[in-house]
Amino acid sequence: MPGDSTVNFNLLHRTCKLVVLLCFLHISVTVVFYVRSLDIRFAFVQNQQSHELTPRMPHRLIYTGLTGEPEPKAPESKKEGAAEVQPEVEKAEEPEEKLKTCPETSPLLVGPLRVEFHTPVSLEQIKKDNPNLQPGGRFKPKDCEALQKVAIIIPFRKRDEHLKYWLYYLHPILQRQQLDYGVYVINQDGDEIFNRAKLLNVGYAEALKEYDYECFIFSDVDLIPMDDRNTYKCFSQPRHLSVSMDKFGFRLPYNQYFGGVSSMSKEQYLKINGFPNNYWGWGGEDDDIYNRLASKGMSISRPSGEVGKCRMIRHDRDKQNEPNPQRFDRIAHTRETMYKDGINSLSYKVVKTDRLDLFTKITVDVGKP
């Protein structure tokens, strides 16, 4: 019997070990399957969240369009459709709409101005004071369409200080007058006798190569208007703008006087064949121009003496610009010479063109007498 009990105890012991081992194995298998089920659930949740988020994005694009109704199309096609009807596309076409025309009288004018030449000015300061200027001294209003396209022609040689004052005063005035304008300084090359009228012809021809100007202002570099109501534009008749110069005691020296600053439309200029090319030296060309206008039945228009006031920068007469001894004889024969001496007979050579910040400088060889 004792032997039998020993055998039974060993059998029981082995059976218990086997049961424990089976339990451990069962628990291990259970843990493994539980962990794997967690991974599967986590992946499933992520997948479901991504599917839920994906269709929401196109709905935001669709509702920014013209309608709030979602379309049963693929997200890509919805996005393209929404982009096609965005208001921004219509806004891009708005600049093509024509601006309103500027008023006949600019609301920006201030009237009488204080003009003095005691304080030096610099080109850098003038540029800073006129930030809306384009290269070459060009400007046009931003909020309205200018009534006229105006080229301002300045005959020039060795007058740099005078030019600074002209630019300092005239650029703000011209902008307040709401003009579409450009400034052309026609510089006579070399040291031959000065020819003002021929340089004006050159300025007319060269300005038209750049822009379809309708009006031309012919201005000496030393004359500054004292009232911005004296508009630098063209009228139904040729316009004399420098009516009341301080040099003449703010009076018109004589009724036929057409010197200093004047304006003509393209049609008026061509009607008289431009200006004479054979007036070398000082004087006579402005009277010749007056004779041309009178011969074509045109009259001179002028602003009032008060509005037409202007100040001259005092200076000595330039070298190689002595009084022209032939001027009186030439003036007497204007009607005979005007058809063969003018824009139709103009000859010159452009030496250099500089499109600067405040003006376009064109240096030309106009020949000699």
Side-chain angles (χ1 to χ4, degrees):
M1 293 298 293
D4 292 339
S5 60
T6 301
V7 172
N8 290 337
F9 177 78
N10 290 335
L11 180 62
L12 180 63
H13 180 70
R14 290 177 182 177
T15 301
C16 290
K17 280 186 176 182
L18 181 60
V19 170
V20 171
L21 182 61
L22 289 173
C23 289
F24 179 79
L25 180 62
H26 176 73
I27 292 172
S28 299
V29 171
T30 302
V31 170
V32 169
F33 275 95
Y34 178 77
V35 171
R36 289 189 61 187
S37 67
L38 287 178
D39 291 340
I40 292 172
R41 288 180 183 179
F42 181 75
F44 176 79
V45 171
Q46 278 191 324
N47 189 39
Q48 287 295 105
Q49 288 178 345
S50 63
H51 280 293
E52 290 174 1
L53 292 174
T54 301
R56 292 176 185 174
M57 297 175 65
H59 284 295
R60 294 193 187 102
L61 291 174
I62 292 171
Y63 287 121
T64 60
L66 297 179
T67 64
E69 295 295 331
E71 299 178 13
K73 294 184 180 180
E76 292 77 13
S77 62
K78 290 180 182 179
K79 188 174 182 180
E80 292 175 0
E84 291 175 359
V85 296
Q86 287 296 324
E88 285 74 7
V89 176
E90 295 180 1
K91 291 180 180 179
E93 298 176 357
E94 289 180 3
E96 297 179 2
E97 295 181 5
K98 190 175 181 180
L99 290 173
K100 63 180 181 179
T101 303
C102 297
E104 186 70 29
T105 301
S106 170
L108 307 177
L109 303 180
V110 298
L113 306 169
R114 182 187 179 196
V115 177
E116 57 90 13
F117 309 116
H118 303 299
T119 306
V121 296
S122 67
L123 296 178
E124 291 74 17
Q125 183 61 44
I126 300 169
K127 180 181 176 182
K128 183 178 179 181
D129 293 342
N130 298 274
N132 294 323
L133 285 179
Q134 300 300 311
R138 296 287 301 277
F139 172 84
K140 65 169 60 177
K142 293 182 179 180
D143 54 352
C144 63
E145 184 178 356
L147 292 174
Q148 295 183 10
K149 300 173 183 177
V150 181
I152 297 149
I153 314 298
I154 302 175
F156 184 85
R157 185 168 66 184
K158 299 177 181 177
R159 293 283 200 90
D160 295 288
E161 291 304 312
H162 294 175
L163 180 60
K164 290 178 185 177
Y165 283 116
W166 192 98
L167 296 167
Y168 175 77
Y169 284 109
L170 265 297
H171 269 310
I173 290 175
L174 297 169
Q175 291 172 61
R176 291 199 299 272
Q177 292 177 351
Q178 295 184 312
L179 301 172
D180 179 357
Y181 74 88
V183 177
Y184 297 86
V185 175
I186 313 302
N187 179 46
Q188 182 171 329
D189 191 39
D191 295 315
E192 293 293 339
I193 299 175
F194 196 65
N195 192 326
R196 176 179 180 269
K198 191 171 186 179
L199 291 173
L200 296 177
N201 279 338
V202 171
Y204 169 88
E206 289 297 314
L208 281 177
K209 293 178 181 178
E210 290 197 348
Y211 196 46
D212 57 335
Y213 291 107
E214 308 157 328
C215 175
F216 298 84
I217 307 293
F218 305 100
S219 175
D220 289 343
V221 72
D222 55 7
L223 286 175
I224 311 298
M226 300 175 66
D227 195 313
D228 62 4
R229 293 173 296 174
N230 190 7
T231 308
Y232 275 38
K233 66 177 184 179
C234 290
F235 296 79
S236 59
Q237 295 293 329
R239 186 82 160 181
H240 184 221
L241 297 165
S242 54
V243 175
S244 304
M245 296 167 55
D246 61 343
K247 174 184 177 180
F248 301 125
F250 295 109
R251 296 191 185 95
L252 193 67
Y254 53 93
N255 290 334
Q256 296 80 20
Y257 182 65
F258 199 63
V261 187
S262 60
S263 74
M264 289 187 202
S265 67
K266 185 177 180 180
E267 292 73 21
Q268 293 164 355
Y269 176 90
L270 292 176
K271 195 172 182 179
I272 63 172
N273 192 27
F275 303 152
N277 296 309
N278 59 359
Y279 279 80
W280 299 90
W282 180 87
E285 79 285 345
D286 48 354
D287 293 315
D288 189 296
I289 295 167
Y290 176 86
N291 288 344
R292 292 178 180 229
L293 294 170
S295 71
K296 288 296 182 179
M298 289 183 275
S299 58
I300 306 302
S301 66
R302 293 186 172 99
S304 68
E306 188 65 26
V307 171
K309 282 185 176 181
C310 59
R311 193 174 295 282
M312 174 181 279
I313 306 173
R314 300 292 182 177
H315 61 91
D316 297 328
R317 190 181 302 282
D318 301 324
K319 295 180 180 180
Q320 293 299 84
N321 193 29
E322 300 300 324
N324 180 3
Q326 301 175 338
R327 64 187 185 278
F328 298 110
D329 181 63
R330 294 191 185 282
I331 293 170
H333 296 89
T334 299
R335 293 174 183 265
E336 303 166 18
T337 60
M338 62 180 290
Y339 297 105
K340 58 184 178 181
D341 178 24
I343 191 65
N344 64 351
S345 62
L346 177 65
S347 63
Y348 63 98
K349 179 181 178 182
V350 175
V351 177
K352 186 180 181 183
T353 299
D354 297 304
R355 288 176 180 81
L356 306 174
D357 294 324
L358 301 172
F359 59 96
T360 297
K361 184 177 183 180
I362 304 176
T363 301
V364 293
D365 179 1
V366 294
K368 59 178 105 174

